[in-house]
Amino acid sequence: MRARIVCLLAAVVPLVAGQQSVAEHLYAPTLRPCPANTLLVREVGHNAVTQSLGENETVYIAARKSLILPNAWATYALNVQRSAPVSLPIYVNTILNGSFGPAAFPNLGIATSGGGFRAALFGAGVLNALDGRNQTSVQAGLGGLLQAAQYISGLSGGSWLVSSLAQANFPMLQDLVFGTQLAVTGDDSYGGWITPIDLLEPNNNPIIAFALIDAIVFETQAKFNASFPVSVTDAWGRSLARHFVNGTSATEFIDTNSPHGAGITLSGVANVPTFRGYAQPFPIIIADSLAGESNEDVGIKEDGDVIPLANPIYEFNVFETGSFDPVLGAFTPTKYLGSPNNSVCASGFDQLSFVIGASSNTFNAQNTSADALGNTVVGPIIIFLQETAPQEGVRLDSALVPNPFYGLSPDTFVDTNSTILSLVDGGEDGETTPFQPLLVKARGLDTIIAIDAPADTSDNFANGHSLIATQARAELFNASYAFPPVPRTPAEFLAHPPSSSRRT
């Protein structure tokens, strides 16, 4: 099998070797001297009570609370009143209509789970039901909660939804998934999700499949040539970008003259009009840490989970990347992610495709042996990377990020001596619903709407595993996070389902 793949790749490589595609150029980070007074690490400490949000996040949330939430909550209350057979209690109306001021509004977050394309589509359907721009949802009394939410978090398939929504200027969900009815032109145009085409296997034609692999691997070459580590996550993310990031249509899926979302960064969402106008809930993407084996001794790993619960959970937001977990408690500016030192700053490392690739990379779980990984759908990508981007001492099965927290918290941070952070799917510790960033005390959320879309049971419903894992992690870090009690096992959860409508 390996010999056959290498022969096919050898036949493809000369066709594009030496030619830099548009996407390859835009995907490569650049290095330049850091601006004066740049702080590349913000330590928030290990005490959850004294931890603080970044300055830009604080400003964004405060602006939403004063400029957006008064109308959002009042509109939602009106929608509920119009649809409900009875009047709301007076105290509810008083709070939601702003009589007690913005500080009294509920502090709402939405968490949308992993589960691949299924989770992304299911999550989009739920958000559509919560969208105040959807008249059907308004008539049902649900519309408006999306606009009233302060935060929205996503991991794996949920990260595809959250990031796509943010970078596409927060359109209505049907426009996000299916594309707008207006003419869509330009390199950064957005025409909806390209759902008919598989993520890594476009069709049954092996020539087309290898053409896609050829394209997505070569789009990472300029990054490698600039001395940044590359892995299967980079190529995986380049494929995801064709589906969920601006700049691709089905007719130009492998066109080397198209950017395919390259150059669109997470930090660049700050320039999107609806984000500048505080109209979007604050988006957060999370990934798990594939830390060293030494961390196994201090963690809890449920049966079937790949990552111990004690490993740091990293969050990527528009302004900062890092972890509030007490084992680390530090952040770096997202726009300078990948910087090699305090005097030279990287820009463009935080490609949106890379971030969602990191959040949804489960290939490490298949890496039980070289042959096992080679026989997976990413086997040809691994072989291609070994041929075109040879690297020593790195894991090709995970997202590789130069460690901005090197040397921090040596007594608790398992990667304190690692120059590279290896990140994987945010649900590999069993927490497939991204509650963690919404449990941070500094954010002060009091209500979370969880969109839990894994297919845990034989009939493709959730069995509570994510809630159970989150409860276990909150107990592990009980001074930092609080979580309401839930059943201890999936069997108990299924014996007492939250709603009898589960089977209807």
Side-chain angles (χ1 to χ4, degrees):
M1 175 67 178
R2 177 185 174 95
R4 175 176 173 271
I5 291 172
V6 171
C7 289
L8 283 169
L9 292 178
V12 173
V13 171
L15 298 178
V16 293
Q19 303 174 18
Q20 190 179 75
S21 69
V22 172
E24 181 187 355
H25 171 71
L26 294 173
Y27 186 71
T30 57
L31 296 171
R32 56 177 56 91
C34 295
N37 303 316
T38 297
L39 183 67
L40 288 183
V41 175
R42 181 178 73 92
E43 294 190 64
V44 300
H46 306 287
N47 187 338
V49 176
T50 58
Q51 287 178 337
S52 62
L53 304 180
E55 180 181 357
N56 289 324
E57 179 180 344
T58 300
V59 169
Y60 189 89
I61 293 301
R64 274 188 59 80
K65 185 172 287 187
S66 62
L67 301 176
I68 304 298
L69 295 195
N71 181 65
W73 281 116
T75 300
Y76 170 68
L78 183 60
N79 294 340
V80 173
Q81 286 178 318
R82 286 174 173 171
S83 64
V86 295
S87 299
L88 289 174
I90 293 176
Y91 77 92
V92 173
N93 271 327
T94 303
I95 292 172
L96 298 186
N97 286 324
S99 297
F100 295 129
F105 289 135
N107 198 2
L108 172 64
I110 300 173
T112 181
S113 80
F117 242 138
R118 181 193 65 255
L121 289 167
F122 180 78
V126 174
L127 293 187
N128 191 42
L130 304 179
D131 193 343
R133 299 166 294 185
N134 180 350
Q135 290 307 305
T136 303
S137 299
V138 167
Q139 293 168 11
L142 292 172
L145 282 172
L146 177 60
Q147 282 70 25
Q150 285 283 60
Y151 290 91
I152 183 168
S153 62
L155 68 81
S156 199
S159 77
W160 307 345
L161 166 61
V162 170
S163 60
S164 185
L165 186 64
Q167 59 91 48
N169 199 25
F170 199 59
M172 291 185 66
L173 275 300
Q174 59 264 39
D175 289 336
L176 179 74
V177 175
F178 299 111
T180 64
Q181 300 303 311
L182 302 176
V184 181
T185 59
D187 287 344
D188 290 333
S189 61
Y190 190 75
W193 296 354
I194 307 178
T195 54
I197 301 178
D198 185 83
L199 297 176
L200 284 177
E201 298 178 302
N203 55 37
N204 294 325
N205 186 335
I207 296 177
I208 299 298
F210 276 106
L212 175 61
I213 291 173
D214 174 80
I216 61 179
V217 172
F218 267 101
E219 286 169 14
T220 73
Q221 283 297 291
K223 179 179 179 179
F224 170 73
N225 293 338
S227 300
F228 291 92
V230 297
S231 73
V232 67
T233 302
D234 292 274
W236 168 239
R238 296 305 310 133
S239 179
L240 292 176
R242 287 161 160 76
H243 294 266
F244 301 106
V245 185
N246 294 9
T248 300
S249 68
T251 59
E252 55 181 21
F253 203 72
I254 312 178
D255 186 352
T256 58
N257 294 316
S258 172
H260 302 298
I264 296 177
T265 60
L266 179 56
S267 58
V269 171
N271 300 317
V272 171
T274 52
F275 192 89
R276 289 203 312 267
Y278 312 109
Q280 300 191 27
F282 191 79
I284 302 174
I285 306 301
I286 72 169
D288 280 347
S289 170
L290 192 65
E293 290 297 316
S294 59
N295 206 31
E296 297 276 358
D297 298 331
V298 298
I300 300 172
K301 186 162 65 172
E302 304 289 341
D303 290 343
D305 296 335
V306 179
I307 302 297
L309 290 171
N311 281 21
I313 292 177
Y314 291 94
E315 66 171 65
F316 299 79
N317 67 54
V318 175
F319 302 120
E320 291 188 312
T321 296
S323 179
F324 280 103
D325 283 348
V327 296
L328 176 57
F331 286 84
T332 191
T334 298
K335 67 179 179 180
Y336 295 136
L337 195 64
S339 297
N341 55 56
N342 291 326
S343 59
V344 177
C345 283
S347 61
F349 188 94
D350 64 314
Q351 299 276 330
L352 199 60
S353 64
F354 177 78
V355 173
I356 64 176
S359 183
S360 60
N361 176 25
T362 61
F363 306 118
N364 62 295
Q366 304 168 41
N367 191 10
T368 56
S369 69
D371 287 341
L373 188 61
N375 288 324
T376 67
V377 69
V378 296
I381 295 175
I382 294 288
I383 294 172
F384 206 166
L385 285 171
Q386 290 171 334
E387 297 289 330
T388 61
Q391 300 161 94
E392 296 291 337
V394 298
R395 296 191 58 146
L396 294 180
D397 63 353
S398 58
L400 305 176
V401 179
N403 185 4
F405 312 119
Y406 183 86
L408 293 186
S409 304
D411 294 332
T412 56
F413 180 39
V414 70
D415 278 325
T416 187
N417 294 319
S418 300
T419 57
I420 299 290
L421 298 178
S422 296
L423 307 182
V424 293
D425 187 289
E428 287 197 14
D429 62 355
E431 298 178 272
T432 54
T433 303
F435 287 106
Q436 189 277 332
L438 307 183
L439 302 180
V440 171
K441 291 184 178 180
R443 292 191 168 118
L445 272 75
D446 48 49
T447 306
I448 298 173
I449 296 175
I451 306 172
D452 194 13
D456 294 327
T457 66
S458 60
D459 53 356
N460 297 321
F461 282 94
N463 68 0
H465 185 88
S466 181
L467 294 169
I468 295 165
T470 303
Q471 174 180 247
R473 195 171 196 271
E475 291 173 348
L476 184 65
F477 297 126
N478 56 65
S480 296
Y481 307 120
F483 196 73
V486 297
R488 293 283 175 180
T489 67
E492 184 183 355
F493 186 92
L494 293 175
H496 304 283
S499 171
S500 60
S501 63
R502 178 181 175 277
R503 301 286 177 177
T504 61

